[in-house]
Amino acid sequence: MESIKLKARAKINLGLDVLGKRPDGYHEVRMIMQTIEIYDHLHITKIPQNEIQLFSNLSFLPVNENNLIYKAAKLLKDECGYKGGVKISLHKFIPVAAGLAGGSSDAAATLFGLNRLFHLDLTAKELMELGVKLGADVPYCLMRGTALAEGIGEKLTKLAPIPDCCIIVAKPPVNVSTRQVYESLDIDGVTSRPDIDALLNAIEAQDIMGIAANMGNVLESVTIPRYPVIAAIKQDMLDHGAVNAMMSGSGPTVFGIFKDEHTARECQAYLKEKGDARQVYITENFQGGR
Ligand code: ATP
């Protein structure tokens, strides 16, 4: 095998609670993660030169050691010393700095792809242990599907896939720094927290209305006051048939859950026409597996 093509899928958080801050500065979280069918394409090809060459369709993205794909390829090279180099072409579709873990998913796909391409025989657990060095969401992006993420996000429990549903993802044209959002969170001042256990029960019962009813994200308390457009998009989704709508991760992307595609299409058309979000996609949950 000389090359491999991969899909690096985005995630949303159905629930995101922050429990506290650790002495090392990381936050303890309790999150319900869900992979969605919005993805970047990665094409990795072996090259004889001992280099990591990265190309992207987006000119504003770094293609050097600041890109998580480059970091993942370098980490695996340093740890496993595979021979030769790689050319990696990234076709980015996941909105950037959006709360959808696009970079983390690219890093996870790179680790997964290079492990296959160079027959490194690392187990899923070993890949995840490497992945967490790149970012707290990378182990989950290797696992994919529906999962409970605890610790800093790296302690994962696989859950039953949620029932199939239609999801609108809408990103307003503002970029949010995940680090800044976490740093600005006043944990003791949070008045409304998601009931993660109720979400777990609803997932186990395959109850999409119960899942929707218990969605919640404490980081909204930081990002929404800064960008009220997020609240406006949420309200628009609710007014146009979403069973619930919420910000994903640290934002600013809003997602809405819809019971049928027709309602979702009408809501998508409304949101596009209104223009608060420039990127408005209809997608669905991805059940997981590689
Ligand atoms: P998270 O939900 O994990 O916080 P995000 O969706 O908010 O992630 P990303 O799209 O992963 O944010 O990117 C955040 C920053 O990381 C961007 O400003 C970008 O310059 C940098 N970056 C590095 N590598 C990548 C990559 N492969 N794809 C996207 N962004 C990348």
Side-chain angles (χ1 to χ4, degrees), residues 11 13 40 60-62 66-69 90 92 94-104 106-107 137 176 178 249-251:
K11 63 84 184 154
N13 302 88
D40 297 340
F60 63 85
L61 271 187
N66 292 321
N67 195 300
L68 277 161
I69 294 175
L90 165 69
K92 191 97 201 144
I94 303 171
V96 175
L100 298 172
S104 301
D106 290 345
D137 282 346
V176 168
T178 303
S250 51

Side-chain angles (χ1 to χ4, degrees), residues 20-75:
K21 195 171 178 183
R22 305 194 317 191
D24 63 5
Y26 282 97
H27 286 83
E28 285 273 340
V29 293
R30 207 158 177 248
M31 311 188 287
I32 305 286
M33 320 289 280
Q34 176 61 53
T35 312
I36 54 172
E37 283 286 8
I38 291 180
Y39 45 82
D40 297 340
H41 277 290
L42 268 76
H43 188 184
I44 309 181
T45 311
K46 285 183 187 173
I47 54 170
Q49 305 92 307
N50 190 16
E51 294 171 357
I52 299 162
Q53 300 176 358
L54 181 57
F55 300 89
S56 156
N57 63 319
L58 296 184
S59 56
F60 63 85
L61 271 187
V63 285
N64 54 18
E65 62 283 356
N66 292 321
N67 195 300
L68 277 161
I69 294 175
Y70 190 102
K71 286 184 186 172
K74 171 91 171 47
L75 179 67

Side-chain angles (χ1 to χ4, degrees), residues 8-194:
R9 291 181 170 83
K11 63 84 184 154
I12 53 173
N13 302 88
L14 297 171
L16 195 164
D17 197 9
V18 180
L19 308 181
K21 195 171 178 183
R22 305 194 317 191
D24 63 5
Y26 282 97
H27 286 83
E28 285 273 340
V29 293
R30 207 158 177 248
M31 311 188 287
I32 305 286
M33 320 289 280
Q34 176 61 53
T35 312
I36 54 172
E37 283 286 8
I38 291 180
Y39 45 82
D40 297 340
H41 277 290
L42 268 76
H43 188 184
I44 309 181
T45 311
K46 285 183 187 173
I47 54 170
Q49 305 92 307
N50 190 16
E51 294 171 357
I52 299 162
Q53 300 176 358
L54 181 57
F55 300 89
S56 156
N57 63 319
L58 296 184
S59 56
F60 63 85
L61 271 187
V63 285
N64 54 18
E65 62 283 356
N66 292 321
N67 195 300
L68 277 161
I69 294 175
Y70 190 102
K71 286 184 186 172
K74 171 91 171 47
L75 179 67
L76 210 56
K77 180 100 184 157
D78 292 347
E79 297 282 332
C80 300
Y82 56 81
K83 295 266 181 292
V86 283
K87 174 182 155 190
I88 306 177
S89 301
L90 165 69
H91 191 95
K92 191 97 201 144
F93 189 76
I94 303 171
V96 175
L100 298 172
S104 301
S105 190
D106 290 345
T110 304
L111 292 177
F112 177 85
L114 290 175
N115 189 39
R116 278 259 168 107
L117 199 56
F118 289 97
H119 306 288
L120 302 175
D121 292 333
L122 295 177
T123 62
K125 187 166 173 277
E126 287 169 332
L127 282 179
M128 286 181 191
E129 283 165 6
L130 279 179
V132 75
K133 296 182 184 177
L134 299 163
D137 282 346
V138 177
Y140 165 71
C141 291
L142 281 156
M143 175 185 266
R144 312 196 295 185
T146 311
L148 169 69
E150 297 172 291
I152 61 165
E154 89 294 13
K155 287 187 191 147
L156 298 169
T157 309
K158 196 151 187 56
L159 303 173
I162 63 166
D164 286 341
C165 58
C166 219
I167 299 165
I168 291 190
V169 166
K171 181 186 176 278
V174 290
N175 288 344
V176 168
S177 154
T178 303
R179 175 181 293 222
Q180 275 177 19
V181 171
Y182 272 96
E183 277 172 4
S184 308
L185 178 68
D186 171 16
I187 299 174
D188 299 327
V190 173
T191 47
S192 153
R193 320 187 80 101

Side-chain angles (χ1 to χ4, degrees), residues 213-235:
N214 287 292
M215 282 168 23
N217 179 353
V218 294
L219 298 181
E220 287 187 343
S221 66
V222 178
T223 315
I224 290 186
R226 288 184 190 170
Y227 303 108
V229 67
I230 295 168
I233 297 170
K234 278 179 68 170
Q235 193 57 49

